[in-house]
């Protein structure tokens, strides 16, 4: 539920009926200890701490094994607290009463506590590098060497991911400790959120079959859980009046509940057979975790029905939130152990599962593209949520009696439909197997879908539909983003063009495609770059949404033709190329219907032809939009001049008439020419 009322002032004076601050911190510590006990019990029940004796091989050190499981729980607790508190400070608190760009006293307090947790997060992450090194090589801590740890950091994915996380956690701590503005809190929260991601791509979900679905689900699961748990922790320890903050947090918590539940189920099904839910200890623990999440959802419903209506009296809220935090700690304890325990294996032994995340598809055909779907969880979730949000905005305007053009709504739906087809249909499967199919996906994400999304004017809809809040809210954040230095920089025409074309030349001629194909992180980054760079470029060219700088229509037309020239050069270069791009990746797949290196080169040349010829349809749409916008602009300018002329005539001031002023200007030019 969205509040449109004036937000309450934020002070640090605690009401007399409110429990003391130290009592609430004791509850937080107690909840963390209960979670640790649950983590230890879960590890014992699933056999995660059991040392298996293997003949002829070095056995795991019990101390290392215990540290491997226990530090994962500590890592999860401090990272959730750090990032969650920062998200709460940035998203749920209104800005300062005198200047909404500045943080309030409560936000400042949360950011300093978050900085402390982020510093602990960096320390635990650094220690886990040593623990994971010893665990990987089945040695004790006494045998750990500096050179070995350095090699582990530089040569192994697990070490690299923990190294990146350590750096990002430290950066998050520094930015959070120095933030005095809402923008600074957003930056700290963003850095921390990115820091949560690297270990995801090196866990069990990254090595099992269906790892693309599992990893997508796990990303959504972890980010949603962090915002949900961290927001409740922030409200629980807050010293200020939380009435306005709860109004912002409550609907987000409801969304997070749905995301955590659904993504958790998706991740489990992608990692393990469904029947293992009721036949293995791992499945029993997953069901117990799901049950705890459902109970937390019930407690959240009780908040909305009982405690929130009683605010600003916080007694009932704090008592119920204390129970909720205990359940959250239990869930985190179970999740930490399940993350360090290998799930039951699927029986499918297709060797391509480890590379693709799905079995080798049948030979390419249009029927296979239309029927053999493999959903991209992240893009499907984005498509559904943003389409629902767009339709909700249209409905809100309709209730106010404001008409929103239906073609824009159709464009939005059409754009996200194109994205889902490109990423989740059979085309998404073949894009990792055939260069030509990958190029079709690239063109749809980079040239076709962005045109529809930009013409739908989502920012204009959001600015009209979202309520205004003097202390800062989603509408004010969107306006701040549009007029930010970042937006002013990337909307420079040549900068937008450079970002747009970089996906063509840097990706394909620098070796990045090899990494993007073999890494799910790289694959996601590549597809998001295609989509976002396309949206940026077409926003500058044909976007009806507000932008920080204006560009004349002749300049827009010239800029678009320049981009088409570079597209054509790129396509011709691929068609005439003699070397296979990302050859190691495509050769390792051993696609049965592609005949060796010659077949790969022929398919790449087909991809070049697609890149060269695909621009025809987008060009028709873009040029039609430009001509229509140009004509409307001239019409609006003509009507403006006519209105000025009419006012000049009504006021008896013909010199204010633009037509008369222009005629006088021409007359002066003629006089000067006659004098010369």
């Amino acid at each position: 539920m969205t509040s449109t009322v004036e937000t309450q002032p934020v002070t640090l004076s605690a009401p007399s009926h409110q429990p003391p601050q130290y009592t609430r911190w004791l509850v937080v510590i107690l909840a963390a200890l209960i979670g640790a006990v649950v983590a230890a019990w879960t590890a014992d029940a699933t056999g995660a701490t059991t040392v298996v004796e293997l003949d002829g091989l070095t056995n795991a050190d019990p101390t290392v094994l215990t540290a491997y499981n226990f530090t994962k729980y500590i890592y999860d607790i401090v990272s959730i607290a750090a990032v969650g508190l920062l998200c709460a400070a940035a998203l749920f608190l209104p800005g300062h009463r005198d200047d909404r760009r500045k943080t309030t006293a409560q936000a400042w307090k949360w950011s300093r506590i978050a900085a402390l947790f982020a510093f602990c997060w960096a320390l635990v992450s650094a220690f886990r590098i040593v623990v994971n090194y010893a665990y990987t090589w089945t040695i004790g801590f006494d045998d750990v060497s500096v050179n070995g740890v350095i090699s582990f950091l530089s040569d192994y994915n697990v070490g690299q991911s923990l190294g990146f996380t350590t750096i990002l956690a430290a950066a998050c701590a520094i930015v959070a400790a120095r933030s005095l503005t809402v923008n600074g809190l957003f930056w700290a929260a963003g850095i921390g959120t990115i820091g949560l991601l690297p270990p995801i791509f090196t866990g069990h979900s990254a090595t099992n079959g269906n790892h693309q679905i599992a990893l997508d689900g796990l990303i959504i699961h972890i980010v949603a859980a962090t915002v949900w748990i961290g927001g409740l922790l922030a409200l629980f320890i807050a010293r200020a009046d939380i009435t306005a903050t709860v109004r912002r947090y409550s609907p987000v918590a409801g969304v997070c509940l749905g995301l955590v539940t659904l993504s958790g189920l998706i991740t489990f099904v992608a990692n393990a057979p469904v029947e293992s839910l009721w036949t293995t200890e791992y499945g029993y623990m997953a069901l117990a975790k799901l049950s705890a999440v459902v109970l937390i959802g019930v407690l959240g419903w009780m908040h909305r029905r009982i405690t929130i209506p009683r605010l600003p009296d916080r007694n009932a809220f704090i008592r119920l939130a204390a129970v909720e935090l205990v359940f959250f700690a239990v869930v985190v304890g179970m999740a930490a152990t399940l993350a360090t325990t290998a799930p039951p294996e699927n029986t499918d032994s297709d060797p391509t599962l480890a590379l693709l995340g799905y079995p080798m598809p049948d030979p390419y055909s249009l029927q296979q593209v239309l029927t053999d779907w493999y959903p991209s969880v992240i893009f499907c979730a984005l498509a559904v949520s943003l389409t629902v949000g767009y339709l909700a905005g249209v409905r809100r305007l309709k209730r106010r009696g404001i008409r929103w053009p239906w073609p824009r709504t159709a464009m939005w739906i059409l754009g996200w439909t194109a994205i889902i087809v490109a990423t989740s249909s059979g085309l998404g499967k073949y894009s990792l197997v055939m260069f030509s199919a990958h190029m079709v996906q690239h063109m749809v994400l980079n040239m076709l879908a962005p045109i529809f999304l930009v013409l739908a004017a989502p920012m204009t809809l959001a600015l009209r539909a979202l309520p205004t809040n003097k202390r800062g809210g989603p509408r004010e954040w969107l306006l701040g983003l549009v007029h930010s230095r970042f937006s002013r920089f990337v909307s420079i025409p040549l900068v937008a063009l450079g970002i747009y074309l970089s996906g063509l030349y840097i990706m394909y001629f620098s070796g990045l495609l090899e990494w993007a194909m073999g890494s799910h992180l790289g694959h996601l980054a590549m597809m998001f770059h295609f989509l976002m760079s396309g949206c940026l470029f077409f926003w500058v060219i044909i976007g009806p949404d507000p932008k920080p700088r204006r560009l004349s229509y002749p300049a827009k037309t010239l800029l678009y033709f320049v981009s088409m020239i570079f597209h054509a050069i790129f396509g011709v270069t691929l068609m005439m190329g003699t070397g296979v791009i990302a050859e190691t990746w495509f050769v390792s797949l051993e696609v049965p219907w592609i005949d060796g290196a010659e077949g790969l080169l022929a398919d790449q040349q087909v991809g070049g032809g697609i890149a060269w010829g695909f621009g025809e349809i987008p060009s028709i749409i873009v040029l039609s939009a430009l001509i229509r916008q140009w004509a409307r602009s001239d019409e609006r300018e003509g009507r403006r001049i006519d209105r000025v002329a009419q006012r000049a005539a009504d006021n008896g001031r013909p010199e204010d008439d633009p037509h008369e002023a222009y005629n006088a200007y021409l007359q002066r030019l003629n006089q000067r020419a006659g004098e010369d």
Side-chain angles (χ1 to χ4, degrees):
M1 52 185 177
T2 304
S3 173
T4 58
V5 301
E6 176 65 20
T7 54
Q8 300 294 323
V10 179
T11 64
L12 289 179
S13 57
S16 58
H17 60 270
Q18 186 173 307
Q21 188 80 2
Y22 72 86
T23 303
R24 281 175 278 157
W25 276 111
L26 287 177
V27 172
V28 172
I29 295 171
L30 178 61
L33 291 176
I34 293 174
V37 172
V38 171
W41 172 73
T42 308
D44 181 68
T46 57
T49 56
T50 303
V51 177
V52 180
E53 301 289 340
L54 300 173
D55 294 335
L57 296 175
T58 304
N59 297 314
D61 186 292
T63 305
V64 172
L65 201 58
T66 301
Y68 178 73
N69 289 280
F70 183 70
T71 56
K72 180 63 170 72
Y73 170 73
I74 301 299
Y75 173 96
D76 288 348
I77 286 291
V78 295
S79 61
I80 288 173
V83 181
L85 284 170
L86 287 171
C87 289
L91 296 174
F92 305 136
L93 273 181
H96 197 278
R97 181 170 293 277
D98 297 328
D99 186 352
R100 66 169 180 256
R101 294 173 297 180
K102 297 180 180 179
T103 60
T104 60
Q106 183 60 73
W108 181 88
K109 190 75 173 179
W110 283 351
S111 67
R112 286 345 182 239
I113 297 173
L116 179 60
F117 276 115
F119 178 72
C120 295
W121 178 22
L123 292 179
V124 175
S125 180
F127 180 64
R128 277 187 61 79
I129 295 172
V130 178
V131 173
N132 275 264
Y133 168 68
Y135 175 82
T136 302
W137 294 105
T138 60
I139 60 176
F141 286 120
D142 294 339
D143 298 322
V144 173
S145 64
V146 175
N147 290 335
V149 172
I150 293 175
S151 175
F152 184 67
L153 273 171
S154 60
D155 299 333
Y156 292 86
N157 291 335
V158 176
Q160 292 170 356
S161 68
L162 287 173
F164 284 131
T165 296
T166 302
I167 295 172
L168 290 170
C172 176
I174 294 171
V175 176
R178 297 177 61 86
S179 294
L180 295 174
T181 64
V182 175
N183 285 342
L185 293 177
F186 272 109
W187 275 106
I191 294 171
T193 302
I194 296 173
L196 297 171
L197 303 182
I200 295 175
F201 297 94
T202 57
H204 294 297
S205 296
T207 57
N208 291 332
N210 293 321
H211 60 259
Q212 293 197 46
I213 292 178
L215 290 174
D216 282 359
L218 198 56
I219 291 170
I220 297 173
H221 191 76
I222 290 176
V223 173
T226 300
V227 174
W228 188 15
I229 300 172
L232 182 67
L233 174 63
L235 295 174
F236 184 74
I237 65 174
R239 297 174 60 187
D241 179 16
I242 61 171
T243 305
T245 309
V246 169
R247 288 175 180 153
R248 292 187 176 188
Y249 170 75
S250 182
V252 175
V255 173
C256 288
L257 169 62
L259 290 176
V260 168
T261 305
L262 184 59
S263 61
L265 289 172
I266 290 173
T267 303
F268 183 90
V269 173
N271 276 331
V274 177
E275 60 271 15
S276 64
L277 271 173
W278 54 84
T279 59
T280 64
E281 287 80 4
Y282 187 94
Y284 298 152
M285 295 304 166
L287 284 175
K289 177 190 169 187
L290 176 62
S291 301
V293 171
V294 172
L295 284 174
I296 294 172
V298 173
L299 293 175
W301 176 82
M302 293 175 64
H303 272 304
R304 294 178 69 106
R305 298 283 295 182
I306 300 172
T307 69
I308 294 178
R310 297 183 184 179
L311 293 174
D313 181 2
R314 297 178 58 186
N315 277 330
F317 181 89
I318 288 179
R319 285 195 298 269
L320 192 57
V323 178
E324 200 170 357
L325 283 174
V326 171
F327 276 103
F328 269 132
V330 169
V331 169
V332 174
M334 291 180 178
T337 301
L338 290 174
T340 58
T341 305
E345 294 183 0
N346 282 294
T347 56
D348 197 332
S349 59
D350 192 323
T352 60
L353 279 174
L355 294 174
L356 298 176
Y358 49 84
M360 179 65 68
D362 293 332
Y364 179 85
S365 68
L366 181 59
Q367 180 181 357
Q368 287 293 116
V369 170
L370 297 177
T371 60
D372 191 14
W373 285 62
Y374 186 79
S376 171
V377 177
I378 286 183
F379 279 102
C380 287
L382 280 175
V384 172
S385 59
L386 293 179
T387 300
V388 170
Y390 191 97
L391 294 176
V394 173
R395 184 181 180 186
R396 178 172 290 184
L397 291 184
K398 185 177 180 180
R399 287 179 175 177
R400 297 179 190 168
I402 302 174
R403 177 181 171 275
W404 182 257
W406 70 263
R408 289 185 174 180
T409 304
M411 287 287 183
W412 187 254
I413 296 174
L414 188 59
W416 282 109
T417 300
I419 292 170
I420 290 178
V421 171
T423 59
S424 301
S425 70
L427 181 61
K429 273 190 169 183
Y430 287 107
S431 67
L432 287 174
V433 175
M434 302 173 61
F435 186 90
S436 56
H438 162 78
M439 191 54 62
V440 174
Q441 183 188 63
H442 178 167
M443 295 296 108
V444 172
L445 292 176
N446 194 230
M447 295 185 67
L448 187 61
I451 295 175
F452 296 136
L453 297 182
V454 164
L455 289 176
M459 284 192 289
T460 300
L461 174 64
L463 291 173
R464 292 183 182 179
L466 290 172
T468 300
N469 191 321
K470 296 179 180 180
R471 301 273 301 281
R475 186 179 186 277
E476 288 70 30
W477 298 336
L478 183 58
L479 277 174
L481 177 63
V482 171
H483 299 292
S484 65
R485 293 180 182 178
F486 174 77
S487 294
R488 288 199 296 269
F489 174 73
V490 297
S491 63
I492 297 174
L494 292 181
V495 173
L497 178 64
I499 296 173
Y500 179 63
L501 295 176
S502 64
L504 294 176
Y505 292 91
I506 297 178
M507 177 62 68
Y508 294 96
F509 300 132
S510 68
L512 276 179
L513 184 64
E514 185 90 52
W515 170 72
M517 288 292 198
S519 164
H520 188 60
L521 172 62
H523 194 234
L524 284 176
M526 176 179 66
M527 291 194 292
F528 272 106
H529 171 76
F530 291 159
L531 181 61
M532 299 308 295
S533 63
C535 288
L536 170 64
F537 179 71
F538 289 110
W539 174 52
V540 172
I541 297 293
I542 57 173
D545 281 327
K547 51 182 72 72
R549 61 180 76 246
R550 300 174 70 101
L551 191 65
S552 67
Y553 285 97
K556 291 179 179 180
T557 306
L558 177 61
L559 192 67
Y560 181 69
F561 276 115
V562 169
S563 73
M564 294 306 300
I565 291 172
F566 278 97
H567 261 283
I569 294 173
F570 170 74
V572 172
T573 302
L574 289 180
M575 293 171 64
M576 298 178 63
T578 57
V580 178
I581 298 174
E583 182 175 8
T584 303
W585 166 257
F586 288 112
V587 169
S588 66
L589 292 176
E590 298 181 353
V591 182
W593 66 86
I594 295 181
D595 187 16
E598 293 183 359
L600 291 175
L601 183 59
D603 184 62
Q604 179 177 298
Q605 291 170 346
V606 172
I610 292 171
W612 179 69
F614 190 90
E616 298 297 330
I617 296 176
S619 295
I620 294 174
I621 300 174
V622 171
L623 293 177
S624 299
L626 275 174
I627 292 172
R628 188 164 180 265
Q629 291 173 0
W630 199 342
R632 285 191 169 186
S633 176
D634 288 343
E635 290 175 2
R636 287 194 298 269
E637 181 65 16
R639 289 195 296 268
R640 186 191 68 81
I641 293 175
D642 290 342
R643 287 194 299 269
V644 174
Q646 184 62 45
R647 283 197 300 269
D650 294 341
N651 296 331
R653 295 176 58 86
E655 65 274 12
D656 293 339
D657 186 342
H659 301 97
E660 296 298 331
Y662 185 69
N663 290 334
Y665 169 72
L666 293 178
Q667 186 176 4
R668 288 195 300 272
L669 288 179
N670 288 331
Q671 291 176 352
R672 291 176 184 175
E675 293 174 357
D676 292 341

